Every structure is written in C-alpha cells, then in structure tokens.
Amino acid sequence: MTGATAAADAAFIRCTRLTKVFRRGDTEIVPLRDLDLEIPRGAFVSLMGPSGSGKTTLLNLLAGLDGATRGELWIDGQELSRLSRDQLARWRAKSVGIIFQSYNLVPVLTAYENVELPLLLHDLSRRERHERTMAALETVSLVDRASHFPRQLSGGQEQRVAIARAIVADPPLLLADEPTGDLDRVSADLVLDLLGRLHRERGRTIVMVTHDPLAAARAPLKLHLDKGALESTRVDSVSMEGARTAAGEVAP
Amino acid sequence: MILLRTAALSLRMLARSRVRAALAVAGIAVAVFILCAERAVHSGIVEATAANERDTRLIVYRANRFCPFTSRLPERYADEVASIEGVKSAVPMQIVVSNCRASLDVVVFRGVRAADAARGIAARVRFVEGSLDAFLARGDGALVGSALAARRGLKPGDRLSAAGITVTVAGIVDADGPQDRNACFVQLPFLQAAAGGVQGGEVTQLEVEVADPAKLREVATLIDARFATDLAPTTTRPEKAFVARAAADLVAIAEFAGFLGVGALLAIFALVANAIVLSLEHRTRELAVLQSVGFPGKALAFGIVVESSALAFVGAVVGAGAASLVLGLGRFSLGAEGVLVEFRPSGVTAAASVALALAVGIAAGLIPAIAASRKAIVEGLRAA
C-alpha cells in the first residue's frame, strides 16, 4: 500500500485540494476551490451553505457523477479520478446510493421495479433480487406500495422509495441532495428519521446537502461551504461518538 | 448479463409507454405496408416480364397493333404456323377485355376453339374445381383463373358479366403464369358472337408453343417472315417480351413505385429516429438517473438500440402482416391492353421487408443511443 493510499484509508472520504472549474463562454466558474476535507467511515454529515457555494458540485464529485478539475478524491481507498467512465459506473453500482431532492424515480416503473434497478447490475438471482428489494421496501415501510407507480405515490412516499433504491444494494456511502427539499414537515421528518436509522443501525456513511437547519441538526457532523471552500466544521461529539461506535459494530 | 438485463428493462419501459410506442409502431407499419406493396408490384412485373431459358411460348400479334381491340389475324394462320418447323402447337385466341386501360380489376376473356381446348387450356392449367368436359358442355361455359375467381368470389355455376358478355363458370383453374391465373377462358365462337365488333374467322393473337426454348427467337422470325407479305403481317415475340411491351406503362409505374419503396425505407429511418430522439429528449433525466445508479453508458446505449429495434420490428411485422393480408385477400392485378400484372404477397418479400426495417431501425437508434450514453450525467440530472 502506498503512503497516499494509507493516508486515504485513514478517512473514508478524503479530498485534497479538490477543485472544480466550469467554463461558460469566456467566464470561468469555480464552485469548488482547493477543498481539503476528511470524513470518517460511518459519519452522518450535513453539508450546508448558500446557493452557489459548491454543495451540489461536491456531492456530484463524491458520487462519481462528475470529475474534478484538480486535486484528489479518495473514497474507501479508491481514487475516483483514476477510474474510467465504465469503472466509475461499476463503482457507483457497488459503493454509493444517491438520494435526490426531486426523487428521480423512473415514472414507468413501479416502486418495486425502481428499487430493484441497482440490483440488476449485480450477479443476483431473481429470487435474491426479490428478497433484497422487499427488504428495502420493508425498511422504508412501503411494502404495501410495491406495485404502485410513482404518480400514485405522495412526495414523501416517492422519497422513501428513492431511499430504498439507494440502500438496496447495500452501499457503504449514501449521498442525499436536499432530500427533504420538496417535502412537507411531516414527510421530511419521516425521511430524516429513516436516514438517522440507517446511520445509527447500519453504520452507513451519509453526506446530506441541505438548506434546512432542522434537517442539518439531525447530522452529528455539520460542514458549511461558502464560495467553494469549507467555512466551518461543527461536530456534535456525542453523536459522532455514536456514529463511530455504529461504524465499528456494523460491517460496511 | 448487464446488457441483457438492460435490454429487458428497456423493452419493459417501452411497453409501458404505450402511446409513444403505438404511434411509432403505426407509422413504421404504414411505411412497411407501402414497402411490401411496392415489392409486390415489382415482383409481379418481374414475374410477368422477366424471360428465362425455359420459356417456350410465343405471341403472334398483328404487326403495328398494340391493343387487343385492333389486332386482327385470320384464324387460319394457326394451321400455317403449326406447320412451321420447331412449332409444337399454335392456338388462335380471341382476347376481349373489360377495360383496355390500366385498371385494378380487368376481366380478360380468352376465346379458344373447342378443338384447341386440350392443348390451349388444359395443358397449361390445373383444375381447382370443375372440368374441361363441363366447360365444353355448354356454349357460355367459362374456366376462370384462380386469381380472378378469388377477386370476384366466383365458383362453378356462378355467372360472370363483363364487357357486355355474360358467362357461366364451369370451372376454376390455377396456373403458373399471371396471365392464365387472371383469365376467363371461353369458347371462341361464343366470344366472337358475344363481343361487339369481332368477326368470325378472326382472332386477336396466336399463342404458339415451340419445341425447343433455345429456338424461341428463331421460330418467331420464321413466323413473321411467313406472313410478311400477307394481308395481315405479324409481329411475333416471346410471351414475356410481349407482356413487357404491352405493359410498358405498368413497368414505368413500377419504376416509379421503386422510389416509393426507397421513400418507405427513409420514412422508417426517420420515424424510428424521431421516436427515439424525442423519447430520449423526454427521458434525459431518466437516463441520467440510471447512470447514477450504476448502469454503464454502453449498456444504456444497447438498451436504446434494442428499443429502436423493437419498434422497427413490431411495426414491420404489423405492416408486413397487413400487406400480406390485404394483397392476399384482394388478389389485385393491374391490367393494361389485355395483359395482367399480379400483386401477390410473398413470404420472402415480407421477411425481407421486416429484416430491412429492422436493420434501418437499428441504424436509426444507433447515433441517438451513443449520444445519449455519452451525455454528462450531471447535465442529464438537471434536465426538466
């Protein structure tokens, strides 16, 4: 193992001078500038900041949906910039579950079929896929809605289906982009409870972008981004200890 | 494994988008219907006009006449032609048509002497119903070709009226050639009496069988030389060359129809490409979501091509099936100047049309598929 790899393994997520630059005509936009960040395995992190601060850009880089312009991004010992497009796709299928603000369910597929999607990429039999899909739906308490299409579900139910889809392949990392942004308070609390449970009981590492202070309050580790740089870090030590304990007890 | 599962997923998603799929399939089906119809016209023309080395039949016509109403030959010519070396038989035949111009439902009466019925009719047809004896037993008896019988819904005992002539169906006959399949054979004296403007002792043409196919042209030359200085000089051609000349207008129409065939193929390409491109524009975010879940771009591209192929295949099967049904039930034949070109459905044509449409469907889906699979995921997720 190289020194860099060993360093990267010390943290589950490690960003070193991570920079993303977009060009719009002659204008250069830098949503992330030389970001250094370490997130331990099993942490539940909220990522806050004003619009345009680089939160979603960082989340996209963490998800392997976009590539950094400069710098290094290590996740679970893997440097993402070294992966090809196809390797990144395989990595996403195995390592990350993404929850979007607008749910992003496939409208012509049922809740069951939406949740099953990531499992189609794994070498599992139909029966194994069924068992795992039903277990994921059970986790989000939507077994009775398995045959419903997204248009037949409420916003909160759609987001829970999206969470089931994110966790069904058992990835160690969950990324949530404003998961409660389109939900009423009751539904938002349900979703946040669910994320909290996944963190506490299953030791998932969760990074959640949010504008909602109540949602951010659920996360033990709070990061604040502004103008592409980390402005502040606040750790709820009790909760973080709980997170580390959970991470230690439950295999990722 | 991922490719197969992605293909199955694409087909499931396509099946759930019923309106989009149905509209695309309907458009492709219409295009393939046109393609099959064009191919049927083309193969009908080829069947009626393309000579082959086994052809043994010559048509003797009045020189410089091009229509059965104006070609007049003395009936006695048949005996003189029969005596020419290389001629196996010569049958004088009166032709009367219900419509001399191009038409989809022409009835061609072929008047044959009773003495020639065995070699002039029975030798070249197969009896489906009725018999030669039944035909000869009554003066107005007719042997109706299978295509004409199917088109008009005729059976033995029925009466058929056309061109002011009414006959009683004595039998239904099938044949290898389209002229005989669409003919209505009657006895020559009856036709000469029933048809206006036809005089006894005159016929429209002689149908000559030669003994050796290799000497078809040579015998034709001998026949024309025999009557070159007679009252009614002749022009003799192999039957298929005769049909090709008489049906020159139809051949021109068929050539034009060839453009329709090319147009149909382009339409299939445009329809599939349009359906796929519109669908992908509408599903940009959906594809990005699938990629975010971990579906590789190549698998999604494969799924899109499977989708375009499925649209083309189903549309082609529907279109080819409908064309086979319509052409099979309709038994259409296009007539001009007494010769007929059949539009018959063919399994080979239908299969080739489906294969062609499938190939076009794959090609039409390929570029949008590659483009969609290469699109940046983040951009796709931002799409409305």
Side-chain angles (χ1 to χ4, degrees):
Chain A
M1 184 182 290
T2 65
T5 310
D9 277 353
F12 184 69
I13 298 172
R14 183 168 185 251
C15 308
T16 308
R17 299 182 67 81
L18 196 64
T19 302
K20 181 69 185 176
V21 179
F22 293 113
R23 285 192 184 281
R24 298 262 158 77
D26 293 337
T27 312
E28 196 174 76
I29 301 163
V30 190
L32 279 184
R33 188 188 297 275
D34 294 328
L35 182 75
D36 291 322
L37 175 66
E38 285 189 10
I39 295 175
R41 184 182 297 276
F44 184 0
V45 182
S46 70
L47 197 55
M48 294 190 74
S51 295
S53 60
K55 308 181 299 291
T56 298
T57 301
L58 176 58
L59 207 71
N60 288 337
L61 295 180
L62 294 178
L65 300 177
D66 203 358
T69 309
R70 287 190 302 274
E72 287 185 357
L73 171 58
W74 292 82
I75 297 180
D76 203 10
Q78 178 68 61
E79 219 286 79
L80 295 197
S81 68
R82 293 181 187 170
L83 300 180
S84 68
R85 214 178 149 93
D86 281 350
Q87 286 172 325
L88 264 179
R90 278 197 290 276
W91 177 82
R92 278 195 300 274
K94 183 170 64 79
S95 307
V96 64
I98 309 170
I99 301 157
F100 300 96
Q101 177 179 354
S102 49
Y103 331 129
N104 280 341
L105 300 180
V106 179
V108 294
L109 299 180
T110 63
Y112 178 94
E113 290 164 339
N114 267 286
V115 174
E116 190 193 24
L117 278 177
L119 299 182
L120 298 176
L121 302 164
H122 295 262
D123 192 12
L124 297 171
S125 67
R126 182 186 290 265
R127 187 177 168 181
E128 288 170 314
R129 292 204 307 272
H130 176 75
E131 284 170 0
R132 291 177 70 160
T133 301
M134 292 310 287
L137 283 168
E138 177 73 45
T139 302
V140 298
S141 307
L142 281 176
V143 171
D144 58 333
R145 295 284 191 270
S147 61
H148 288 216
F149 287 94
R151 65 177 180 276
Q152 298 167 317
L153 300 172
S154 69
Q157 287 169 333
E158 279 194 79
Q159 191 59 298
R160 280 148 64 199
V161 172
I163 291 172
R165 181 178 66 188
I167 63 171
V168 72
D170 205 21
L173 176 61
L174 287 180
L175 301 171
D177 189 3
E178 300 271 11
T180 58
D182 284 357
L183 300 179
D184 59 52
R185 194 69 259 163
V186 175
S187 300
D189 283 341
L190 269 174
V191 166
L192 292 169
D193 288 346
L194 203 50
L195 291 175
R197 261 176 50 214
L198 291 168
H199 164 240
R200 283 191 311 277
E201 297 170 10
R202 302 196 186 182
R204 297 287 199 286
T205 304
I206 300 175
V207 179
M208 175 177 69
V209 165
T210 183
H211 275 112
D212 178 5
L214 290 175
R218 301 285 193 114
L221 177 60
K222 298 167 187 65
L223 303 178
H224 200 275
L225 276 179
D226 195 13
K227 294 175 185 167
L230 206 54
E231 193 181 57
S232 68
T233 306
R234 193 162 68 81
V235 181
D236 178 339
S237 58
V238 176
S239 300
M240 274 307 290
E241 190 56 39
R244 287 192 181 111
T245 303
E249 287 168 359
V250 182
Chain B
M1 178 199 70
I2 290 176
L3 286 183
L4 287 178
R5 286 180 179 173
T6 309
L9 179 68
S10 291
L11 291 177
R12 190 189 307 163
M13 288 163 72
L14 178 65
R16 301 263 173 88
S17 309
R18 284 183 200 144
V19 175
R20 174 171 71 84
L23 286 174
V25 163
I28 295 160
V30 169
V32 171
F33 183 96
I34 293 169
L35 182 65
C36 286
E38 184 279 320
R39 289 289 86 192
V41 171
H42 177 80
S43 56
I45 293 277
V46 169
E47 184 191 22
T49 61
N52 68 60
E53 64 220 11
R54 297 181 306 281
D55 290 344
T56 55
R57 193 178 297 169
L58 292 169
I59 304 294
V60 183
Y61 224 58
R62 177 74 178 265
N64 302 315
R65 304 290 164 85
F66 306 100
C67 169
F69 285 114
T70 55
S71 177
R72 297 270 188 274
L73 292 176
E75 207 176 312
R76 65 176 169 81
Y77 273 21
D79 298 329
E80 290 186 46
V81 169
S83 67
I84 293 174
E85 190 182 348
V87 173
K88 200 166 141 189
S89 68
V91 175
M93 198 170 279
Q94 180 64 44
I95 306 291
V96 174
V97 297
S98 61
N99 188 344
C100 203
R101 291 165 298 178
S103 169
L104 274 177
D105 184 22
V106 177
V107 177
V108 179
F109 291 101
R110 292 176 163 248
V112 180
R113 294 185 303 201
D116 294 325
R119 59 186 170 172
I121 304 174
R124 58 201 239 188
V125 300
R126 297 177 294 278
F127 280 87
V128 178
E129 287 182 85
S131 66
L132 192 62
D133 291 341
F135 167 65
L136 295 172
R138 51 186 304 160
D140 69 341
L143 292 175
V144 178
S146 57
L148 175 60
R151 197 161 64 238
R152 291 287 186 113
L154 296 172
K155 59 184 186 305
D158 288 348
R159 293 179 67 81
L160 167 66
S161 293
I165 300 164
T166 301
V167 296
T168 301
V169 179
I172 309 293
V173 294
D174 199 8
D176 294 332
Q179 308 310 321
D180 292 339
R181 279 197 298 267
N182 286 276
C184 178
F185 293 98
V186 294
Q187 294 194 43
L188 182 60
F190 167 79
L191 189 59
Q192 285 171 330
V198 177
Q199 295 185 10
E202 282 187 344
V203 292
T204 308
Q205 64 190 40
L206 307 179
E207 295 201 0
V208 177
E209 290 290 332
V210 300
D212 182 359
K215 294 187 175 171
L216 206 59
R217 298 273 176 188
E218 190 184 315
V219 172
T221 307
L222 286 173
I223 292 170
D224 289 342
R226 178 72 164 264
F227 304 111
T229 56
D230 208 317
L231 191 65
T234 59
T235 298
T236 304
R237 298 185 184 90
E239 183 189 34
K240 285 177 178 168
F242 170 80
V243 171
R245 194 217 56 78
D249 294 347
L250 303 185
V251 174
I253 290 170
E255 281 172 5
F256 173 72
F259 291 110
L260 290 182
V262 175
L265 278 178
L266 291 175
I268 294 167
F269 185 89
L271 281 162
V272 175
N274 183 53
I276 294 296
V277 168
L278 285 180
S279 154
L280 293 181
E281 276 180 12
H282 185 66
R283 291 156 53 205
T284 302
R285 179 184 272 197
E286 191 176 298
L287 289 170
V289 169
L290 290 176
Q291 285 183 289
S292 74
V293 164
F295 281 84
K298 284 173 194 163
L300 291 180
F302 181 70
I304 292 165
V305 172
V306 166
E307 190 178 323
S308 71
S309 310
L311 284 174
F313 180 75
V314 174
V317 168
V318 171
S324 297
L325 203 66
V326 170
L327 292 172
L329 293 177
R331 298 295 295 267
F332 299 108
S333 64
L334 193 57
E337 296 184 0
V339 300
L340 291 149
V341 173
E342 273 187 343
F343 308 150
R344 291 210 298 171
S346 140
V348 173
T349 301
S353 298
V354 171
L356 212 54
L358 188 58
V360 168
I362 291 170
L366 214 50
I367 293 171
I370 292 169
S373 69
R374 287 183 178 171
K375 191 164 184 142
I377 303 172
V378 173
E379 275 180 34
L381 289 172
R382 282 198 205 104

